[in-house]
Amino acid sequence: MNTQSPLRFIKQLIYLACILLPLASCEKDASAPASDTIDYSDNWCWFENKQDAAGKDVDLFYVVPTCIWDYTDSLGQTRHHMDIFDAEQRALTDPSIQLAKSVLADSCNFFSPYYRQISMDSWLTLDTALIEERFKLAYQDVADAFHYYMEHDNQGKPFILAGHSQGAKAVIELLKREITPDISRKLIATYAIGYTVTPEELASYPILRPAQDSIDTGVLVGFNSVTRPDAVSPLFRDNVVCINPVNWRTDATPAPSYQGFTVSLDTTIHTLIVTGIDEDLYFIPSVEALLPKGNLHVQEFNLYKEDLRKNVWQRIRAYRKSH
């Protein structure tokens, strides 16, 4: 069984503040003016002011998961979206962005916009209509940032889209709404980790093409992880996109991880089953309704970090060979 040090476990609990299961399409949030826009020409609206986002011939555009809670503004009003200029909220967000950068961006220039993400409290309401209403503002920011990146920073380079949880929802929506045929020719792959894609979405959006191995390009890489089938989040029960990031197969072949556990894909529920891991280390009772005991959503970057790091390089190499 895989064991964890107390320090690592504490870090895992801290990371919980930076994830949450997303669910939503895009409707208006009455609590935040839709006319307000973020000026993404201001480098301060990007992680690390884009200071390291140069020098390589491939880019990665990353959208961070939920990292903030509801808060009260100076007028005494409860707000449900991140204030991207608030130092405390940015401090909550930065560790999650840094984790993704450390896992995914060895081979890439890294671009990650701050955006008015929905609060964790919003997801915990389980009110899908309310969630859908609030997500529109978050998506508006992500789309604006992406268009700014494409116009001013991409400079014709091939690129990767990536996101986790709410961020995965955002990059799926980018695929569905913003990726033109010209842009898609430069898209190496999309890593949408910890999210769900329905059969209806696959049928309606041909650009949502699930990955079948470790080197196909222009594809959607997605998966969710549990220790047992009954731990699947209720929000993900209709998901049909899943690939095993340890062996990069879409069948049930078990794959031993270098970390000491084994990962198998349950093809009936399109979810990864992880054995040889202590689920108690990852169980958070306060979010049990969303993440039942045995759900490993909060740890997917840590569980597969070396597999993902290697795979980014593999897909970049495959893209170069085919273009």
Side-chain angles (χ1 to χ4, degrees):
M1 180 174 293
N2 188 45
T3 60
Q4 307 290 333
S5 70
L7 178 58
R8 185 174 180 186
F9 181 47
I10 291 170
K11 290 180 178 179
Q12 291 165 353
L13 293 180
I14 292 172
Y15 180 61
L16 176 66
C18 287
I19 54 86
L20 191 65
L21 301 171
L23 174 72
S25 62
C26 302
E27 300 298 332
K28 186 181 179 198
D29 178 5
S31 72
S35 60
D36 289 350
T37 58
I38 302 297
D39 179 8
Y40 284 102
S41 67
D42 182 352
N43 281 350
W44 188 245
C45 298
W46 299 81
F47 176 68
E48 294 183 347
N49 301 326
K50 297 192 291 188
Q51 61 186 7
D52 297 326
K56 299 172 184 175
D57 59 2
V58 174
D59 292 343
L60 189 142
F61 184 93
Y62 178 73
V63 186
V64 69
T66 310
C67 297
I68 63 103
W69 297 78
D70 282 354
Y71 63 96
T72 303
D73 66 14
S74 59
L75 301 177
Q77 295 181 316
T78 300
R79 294 297 179 181
H80 312 295
H81 295 83
M82 179 181 180
D83 178 351
I84 73 165
F85 299 106
D86 181 86
E88 292 183 3
Q89 294 183 33
R90 287 167 75 107
L92 290 173
T93 306
D94 284 352
S96 183
I97 305 178
Q98 185 61 56
L99 174 63
K101 181 180 180 182
S102 70
V103 172
L104 300 175
D106 281 355
S107 306
C108 309
N109 305 310
F110 185 77
F111 296 85
S112 184
Y114 294 106
Y115 68 105
R116 287 171 288 188
Q117 57 177 255
I118 296 174
S119 67
M120 189 171 288
D121 305 82
S122 299
W123 303 115
L124 291 173
T125 66
L126 302 182
D127 183 337
T128 57
L130 178 148
I131 293 169
E132 291 175 356
E133 184 176 337
R134 291 179 181 173
F135 188 75
K136 184 175 184 180
L137 189 66
Y139 179 72
Q140 173 188 304
D141 287 354
V142 172
D144 287 348
F146 177 74
H147 287 300
Y148 182 87
Y149 154 75
M150 289 301 302
E151 183 176 353
H152 298 281
D153 296 309
N154 176 261
Q155 299 180 341
K157 295 187 295 295
F159 70 98
I160 292 168
L161 289 176
H164 182 228
S165 200
Q166 183 175 171
K169 163 63 179 172
V171 296
I172 293 288
E173 293 300 320
L174 286 178
L175 287 178
K176 291 160 58 175
R177 299 164 182 263
E178 318 299 335
I179 304 301
T180 66
D182 284 343
I183 293 175
S184 69
R185 284 190 280 271
K186 296 187 292 184
L187 179 59
I188 296 171
T190 299
Y191 291 82
I193 299 168
Y195 190 60
T196 181
V197 177
T198 67
E200 293 76 18
E201 285 178 298
L202 285 187
S204 300
Y205 298 96
I207 197 170
L208 302 182
R209 184 163 59 91
Q212 299 299 309
D213 57 40
S214 64
I215 60 172
D216 47 1
T217 59
V219 295
L220 176 64
V221 178
F223 51 80
N224 296 285
S225 307
V226 296
T227 60
R228 43 198 164 81
D230 61 355
V232 172
S233 169
L235 301 184
F236 289 171
R237 288 173 181 162
D238 294 331
N239 178 57
V240 292
V241 173
C242 190
I243 190 168
N244 188 331
V246 180
N247 61 10
W248 297 103
R249 298 176 66 103
T250 57
D251 61 19
T253 303
S257 168
Y258 67 95
Q259 294 199 63
F261 52 81
T262 298
V263 183
S264 303
L265 198 162
D266 186 326
T267 58
T268 62
I269 58 174
H270 308 285
T271 301
L272 303 177
I273 307 297
V274 181
T275 56
I277 196 168
D278 186 354
E279 64 181 27
D280 288 329
L281 294 176
Y282 310 106
F283 176 52
I284 312 296
S286 62
V287 295
E288 184 176 10
L290 288 169
L291 303 175
K293 187 173 184 178
N295 191 294
L296 302 174
H297 178 84
V298 303
Q299 281 300 308
E300 283 168 327
F301 268 110
N302 286 321
L303 291 175
Y304 311 117
K305 57 186 176 182
E306 295 303 328
D307 306 293
L308 290 167
R309 183 178 289 117
K310 178 182 178 181
N311 187 245
V312 169
W313 178 80
Q314 289 175 311
R315 292 189 194 276
I316 291 172
R317 185 175 62 174
Y319 178 89
R320 286 171 175 158
K321 287 183 177 180
S322 63
H323 287 74

